[in-house]
Amino acid sequence: MSIDDLNELLSIIGETPFSKIKVKIDDVYLELEKPEYESNSSCNKIQYSDDNNKEDLFKDIEENDNIKVIKAPMVGVFYRSSNQDEEVFVKEGDDIKKGDTIGIIEAMKIMSEVSSEVDGEVVEVCCEDKANVGYGQPLVKIKIK
C-alpha cells in the first residue's frame, strides 16, 4: 500500500458517516477512529459497533411484499443526477422499470450506477443529493406494481 493509496483511503473514510472502521488490504490491517459529528443530511444515521452486523444496521427500514427498498451496494457519495445541471434520475411519484437508474454512487473516484430491481412507483427517496451513504443504507423505496 503506497502513501497515495493511504491518503485516498483516508479521504474516503473522512466522508463516511462511520466513526470507526477496520480495513484489511492484502497484509496491511488498519483500524481508524474519528470523532462523531452531527450530519445535516436527511439520510439515516448509521451507528456502527463491533457487535452489530450489517443486517441490523437498518432494522427500522420497513420492507414488505408491496415495498422494495433499494439499498446502497457500497460506501460512497450518492448523487441523484448525473450532474448538477441535469434533472434527478427519480423523484417521489415517478413510475420506474426494472433496470432504470435511480442514482450514482461515487467511491474512489469511480462512478457506479444504482438501478431499480423492480417495476413500480417511487414512494420515497431516502437520501439527498451528494450525501455520504454506507453499505446497505436505503436509497429509494419503491411500491411494486
Side-chain angles (χ1 to χ4, degrees):
M1 176 180 271
S2 72
I3 296 294
D4 290 336
D5 293 337
L6 184 57
N7 284 333
E8 178 79 18
L9 181 62
L10 289 172
S11 173
I12 291 169
I13 291 169
E15 296 173 1
T16 68
F18 295 105
S19 61
K20 182 178 181 182
I21 190 164
K22 296 177 183 179
V23 179
K24 183 174 191 271
I25 302 173
D26 298 324
D27 59 344
V28 176
Y29 180 79
L30 298 171
E31 186 171 338
L32 304 168
E33 237 178 299
K34 66 181 181 179
E36 289 197 34
Y37 60 93
E38 287 298 315
S39 172
N40 59 1
S41 166
S42 70
C43 289
N44 298 327
K45 187 173 181 180
I46 298 172
Q47 294 185 357
Y48 173 83
S49 71
D50 288 341
D51 55 354
N52 281 345
N53 62 35
K54 60 186 167 202
E55 288 81 20
D56 293 336
L57 288 175
F58 301 104
K59 61 186 172 194
D60 60 327
I61 303 301
E62 292 181 24
E63 185 169 338
N64 58 44
D65 293 338
N66 296 330
I67 301 291
K68 175 68 177 171
V69 179
I70 307 299
K71 298 177 182 176
M74 66 185 78
V75 174
V77 179
F78 180 68
Y79 294 97
R80 294 190 58 201
S81 62
S82 56
N83 69 53
Q84 60 188 11
D85 298 329
E86 297 288 323
E87 235 180 269
V88 295
F89 291 112
V90 296
K91 57 187 177 293
E92 290 179 12
D94 283 355
D95 286 328
I96 62 172
K97 300 225 179 276
K98 182 177 182 177
D100 286 353
T101 301
I102 60 142
I104 296 172
I105 295 182
E106 177 187 10
M108 297 183 75
K109 299 184 181 176
I110 296 174
M111 305 297 237
S112 300
E113 288 186 358
V114 180
S115 301
S116 173
E117 300 168 9
V118 296
D119 295 342
E121 177 186 345
V122 177
V123 293
E124 183 180 351
V125 177
C126 304
C127 288
E128 291 186 18
D129 191 40
K130 300 177 188 165
N132 293 321
V133 295
Y135 174 80
Q137 184 167 350
L139 301 173
V140 175
K141 293 181 183 177
I142 300 171
K143 182 176 181 183
I144 299 171
K145 289 189 175 183

